[in-house]
Amino acid sequence: MSQIIDARSDTVTRPTPAMLEAMMLAEVGDDVYGEDETVNELQRKAADLFGMEAALFCPSGTMTNQIGIRVHTRPGDEVICDELSHVYLYEVGGIAANSGASVRLLKGDRGRFTAEQVRSQVSSRSDVHAAWSRLVVVENTVNKGGGACWDFAELERIRGVCNEHELALHLDGARVFNAIVARNESPRDYGRLFDSISICLSKGLGTPAGSLLLGSGEFIAKARRFRKMMGGGMRQAGYLAAAGLFALEHNVARLHDDHRRAKTIERELQGLSYVSSVLPVETNIVIFTIDARSSTDEFLRSLQSHGIKAGSMGGSTIRFVMHLDIGDDQVGALVEKLRTLQVA
Ligand SMILES: *Cc1c(COP(=O)(O)O)cnc(C)c1O
């Protein structure tokens, strides 16, 4: 492990020797022909885990979200999501470009809106002027909300509103395993509620690449065509799928460790004079703001000169994310540096 503590994101992890070994031993075939048995096994395993019919392995979480939205909507339809959501902020305007859909933004609490907000914003199907609301997207955990977890009861109420208004419900579950572990939930609870789910294997689960889209058999059959259209059909993808299988088996329960370490950093930050606020830590993400009089760039440079990489979230907001390559020793060193840092 390098001396640098890279806490910018949980995407920066390198595969462990054990994961690499599993990848080396993978049986592979051409997945565009559906002949890669390792990909097929990963898709089956993930679908089973969530109690859904089928799954599709894709290169990235952006692609699984964008394909999901594409299958659920038609041009001119409207997608309802939170103003902090990844599908809106960080997918290059893909909802408009890939699906021709418009977006209705809700203002939630750290990315979590209520069923009542959805109900009050659904367009009327009898109004000739209105874009038809067709899909609700929920993100759990909410990245920009500091890894906030949803209350499951609220998700159930949102499902109820979707049923009343014939809306599909998609989960951007890039970090849903963090929520499942933190809240002691079961993947099957999510499978029952959502029409489609996107999960990332390359975040806290530590694979080099890959995400899965889950849904009904019919939904995934359509999704497979859009994956090909978007250029996401991979050939001997079993090498990557093997990393995914390894991650589902070995790297889910350990997310607790990341959450505990994030809590340690939260407690430390709360006592520092140059920190003005810290979002409540629920999972592996720590978002905080530094005193407005300090320069964010200078703060990040100073951290970097001490071997610590943090992410900038705009303005004076900074992000640390815990992951597989940051252990207790690194957190100890990080906390020590935060304490001794001279912030102008
Ligand atoms: C990372 C992330 C994604 C997908 O990102 P990729 O880098 O395309 O895999 C989607 N949603 C959320 C909330 C994310 O954090």
Side-chain angles (χ1 to χ4, degrees), residues 60-62 65 86 91 139 141 143 172 174-175 200 202-203 211:
S60 74
T62 297
N65 279 333
H86 193 281
E91 299 188 6
E139 183 175 316
T141 67
N143 173 18
D172 177 356
R175 295 189 181 83
C200 284
S202 59
K203 301 261 165 94
S211 288

Side-chain angles (χ1 to χ4, degrees), residues 209-341:
S211 288
L212 286 153
L213 181 62
L214 316 177
S216 69
E218 194 188 337
F219 175 89
I220 292 299
K222 290 179 187 162
R224 183 179 295 279
R225 289 184 57 77
F226 286 122
R227 183 183 69 174
K228 195 77 185 84
M229 184 188 282
M230 291 178 184
M234 296 184 285
R235 304 296 177 172
Q236 286 71 38
Y239 293 115
L240 289 171
L245 284 164
F246 182 92
L248 287 178
E249 190 166 331
H250 296 100
N251 293 347
V252 175
R254 65 153 304 284
L255 292 171
H256 274 304
D257 296 333
D258 295 341
H259 300 174
R260 175 174 54 75
R261 288 166 186 145
K263 270 282 180 201
T264 301
I265 294 171
E266 175 193 32
R267 277 192 298 275
E268 183 63 27
L269 289 168
Q270 282 164 344
L272 296 173
S273 58
Y274 59 82
V275 172
S276 52
S277 66
V278 190
L279 285 187
V281 168
E282 298 184 35
T283 51
N284 66 329
I285 299 177
V286 187
I287 289 183
F288 63 101
T289 53
I290 57 169
D291 200 302
R293 283 164 302 184
S294 316
S295 149
T296 310
D297 287 347
E298 227 164 87
F299 178 72
L300 290 173
R301 262 200 305 277
S302 173
L303 276 179
Q304 176 111 27
S305 72
H306 288 90
I308 296 165
K309 291 187 181 181
S312 164
M313 302 287 279
S316 49
T317 306
I318 315 275
R319 185 179 83 160
F320 286 127
V321 188
M322 294 298 102
H323 54 68
L324 266 160
D325 292 354
I326 298 180
D328 286 331
D329 289 354
Q330 277 92 0
V331 169
L334 194 156
V335 159
E336 193 54 42
K337 293 285 192 280
L338 287 173
R339 238 177 248 165
T340 53
L341 213 59

Side-chain angles (χ1 to χ4, degrees), residues 33-207:
Y33 296 145
E35 289 172 2
D36 190 302
E37 280 315 316
T38 310
V39 170
N40 293 339
E41 188 189 343
L42 173 64
Q43 292 174 163
R44 254 192 324 270
K45 274 243 163 78
D48 272 0
L49 187 61
F50 283 80
M52 298 187 93
E53 281 176 15
L56 187 68
F57 187 54
C58 292
S60 74
T62 297
M63 188 177 280
T64 44
N65 279 333
Q66 289 299 318
I67 291 174
I69 293 164
R70 182 73 177 80
V71 175
H72 286 303
T73 61
R74 297 207 216 126
D77 284 348
E78 178 181 87
V79 176
I80 299 175
C81 64
D82 191 89
E83 62 180 359
L84 298 187
S85 62
H86 193 281
V87 293
Y88 175 67
L89 288 177
Y90 301 125
E91 299 188 6
V92 210
I95 296 178
N98 296 317
S99 298
S102 58
V103 181
R104 181 168 307 233
L105 293 178
L106 304 180
K107 208 183 251 312
D109 164 31
R110 295 164 64 205
R112 300 161 301 182
F113 46 84
T114 64
E116 263 326 299
Q117 282 179 286
V118 177
R119 195 195 308 278
S120 72
Q121 296 292 317
V122 175
S123 63
S124 162
R125 297 263 162 117
S126 58
D127 182 349
V128 73
H129 308 90
W132 277 16
S133 305
R134 183 85 69 176
L135 171 68
V136 175
V137 177
V138 161
E139 183 175 316
N140 199 18
T141 67
V142 186
N143 173 18
K144 210 168 171 151
C149 302
W150 285 70
D151 213 341
F152 204 81
E154 197 61 46
L155 295 177
E156 287 174 327
R157 287 191 282 273
I158 288 171
R159 176 76 258 177
V161 173
C162 289
N163 292 348
E164 282 165 36
H165 294 276
E166 294 175 50
L167 305 171
L169 184 58
H170 173 79
L171 175 67
D172 177 356
R175 295 189 181 83
V176 72
F177 284 110
N178 293 87
I180 286 169
V181 162
R183 294 286 179 112
N184 204 13
E185 295 162 342
S186 135
R188 295 215 162 202
D189 298 335
Y190 286 88
R192 266 194 296 277
L193 230 49
F194 287 88
D195 297 296
S196 55
I197 298 179
S198 157
I199 61 175
C200 284
L201 301 164
S202 59
K203 301 261 165 94
L205 299 190
T207 76

